[in-house]
Amino acid sequence: MMGRYFAIRIGRAALTIILVVTFAFVVLRLSGDPALMILGPEAPPEVLAAFRKAWGLDDPIWFQYLDYFGAIAKGELGRSMRDGRPAIELVLERIPATLALTLPAFAFKVALGIPAGIYAALHRGSGIDRAVMMTAVAGFTVPSFVLALLLVLVFAVQLGWLPSGGQDSWRHAILPIATLSLGGAAVLARFTRSAMLEVLGQPYIRTASAKGVPWRKVVTSHALPNAAIPTITILGFMVGTLIAGAVVVESVFAWPGVGRLLVVAVANRDLAVVQCILLLVAMTMVTSNLIVDFLYGFLDPRLRTKGAHA
């Protein structure tokens, strides 16, 4: 059962990556002519034609598609049309800057969101519960770019405590990390509270309490482990979006990471760079969801039985 369960999940993950890459390939080639974006519409027709021929843009789209997947199979992700460098090199150069924001932000999301959700669930209906949920709703509904601009306005413009952009020191990372953290913490708080309330309403919780088991032990030994199972889902999603979620924040704060590189590459129709980043994002998200599926299989044997027949 275990082998079949995992084999099905791996097959679905591989199919998802293929579909994402195919969708990105088609959309990018329908979105505009890279020759015009890079050379400009005033370039002579023969120069544009030579550029398209050099990069294979004059081939039929089905041939370009097969050629692209053949290159991926060989471990080749193409070269930037702007400077001729391998696309993977450009992306790998930016990953450390992105991880310098996203990893601390993820840690703060977990440290803030999960305890807040648990505390709110254990004090349901109290003033603290309402305050936590109101804060969570506000953090969940405010778009990241609006939150980023508000933080810049308050802490950089009005108070002058922090820089508004760049990457010159650790102080430049505070506002981007805060922007990435607050929204995710709000989502975690709401989700954790809902999961805890659902578990606390189960019969086995009432049975344990009726048997005289101390409430603290009921929470730590029965409620928290069972509430953790659905919470893993949202955590897996957040891990998968570490890179994709930084696109807006890196653009607002002029942070030289993968997200900002993606925005520039899309604007310039630098196909190889865009495809490389999208492939990286897809693999990150699929891998994190695959790990979540594996954890589900280990934590809840019932899912292995159901998943083997899915």
Side-chain angles (χ1 to χ4, degrees):
M1 281 298 182
M2 286 287 291
R4 180 176 173 81
Y5 175 84
F6 292 149
I8 291 175
R9 266 54 192 178
I10 293 173
R12 288 178 177 175
L15 179 60
T16 300
I17 291 177
I18 293 173
L19 292 176
V20 169
V21 172
T22 301
F23 178 79
F25 179 90
V26 174
V27 170
L28 285 172
R29 276 149 183 80
L30 296 178
S31 62
D33 187 356
L36 292 175
M37 295 299 300
I38 294 175
L39 300 177
E42 68 280 356
E46 58 273 14
V47 174
L48 294 174
F51 182 91
R52 296 186 186 104
K53 183 177 179 63
W55 292 98
L57 298 175
D58 57 348
D59 293 327
I61 191 168
W62 63 266
F63 184 86
Q64 296 182 47
Y65 178 78
L66 295 178
D67 184 61
Y68 175 58
F69 267 90
I72 290 179
K74 299 176 184 177
E76 301 172 1
L77 298 179
R79 292 180 173 271
S80 169
M81 292 181 179
R82 297 193 67 83
D83 57 18
R85 293 179 59 194
I88 188 63
E89 286 187 8
L90 295 172
V91 176
L92 291 177
E93 287 177 355
R94 302 293 190 99
I95 287 181
T98 295
L99 293 181
L101 294 183
T102 55
L103 292 182
F106 181 78
F108 282 122
K109 290 176 188 178
V110 175
L112 293 173
I114 292 180
I118 293 174
Y119 193 86
L122 295 177
H123 298 80
R124 183 180 185 182
S126 66
I128 294 178
D129 178 29
R130 288 192 291 270
V132 169
M133 287 301 98
M134 288 178 60
T135 304
V137 170
F140 178 72
T141 55
V142 175
S144 58
F145 72 92
V146 174
L147 179 59
L149 294 176
L150 287 174
L151 292 177
V152 169
L153 179 63
V154 174
F155 293 101
V157 178
Q158 297 292 336
L159 300 176
W161 291 351
L162 297 169
S164 60
Q167 195 197 14
D168 296 333
S169 69
W170 62 270
R171 296 175 68 248
H172 291 76
I174 293 178
L175 291 183
I177 290 174
T179 304
L180 289 171
S181 302
L182 295 177
V187 174
L188 270 178
R190 292 189 64 191
F191 201 92
T192 303
R193 178 182 181 272
S194 298
M196 280 291 294
L197 288 177
E198 182 177 354
V199 171
L200 291 173
Q202 296 299 316
Y204 60 83
I205 297 293
R206 294 193 294 269
T207 301
S209 298
K211 289 181 177 180
V213 178
W215 180 243
R216 181 183 295 273
K217 187 175 181 180
V218 171
V219 172
T220 57
S221 300
H222 299 281
L224 287 178
N226 287 282
I229 294 177
T231 305
I232 289 175
T233 302
I234 194 67
L235 286 175
F237 177 78
M238 288 182 174
V239 171
T241 57
L242 286 179
I243 295 176
V247 173
V248 173
V249 173
E250 289 183 357
S251 299
V252 172
F253 292 100
W255 189 267
V258 176
R260 192 178 179 197
L261 176 64
L262 176 61
V263 173
V264 174
V266 169
N268 293 327
R269 299 298 188 276
D270 201 345
L271 301 184
V273 176
V274 176
Q275 290 168 171
C276 184
I277 296 175
L278 293 180
L279 179 61
L280 175 64
V281 171
M283 292 184 65
T284 303
M285 297 187 69
V286 168
T287 301
S288 64
N289 288 323
L290 191 61
I291 292 173
V292 167
D293 282 339
F294 288 173
L295 290 176
Y296 270 8
F298 285 114
L299 293 173
D300 191 344
R302 295 172 300 176
L303 294 176
R304 294 199 296 269
T305 304
K306 295 178 181 178
H309 299 287

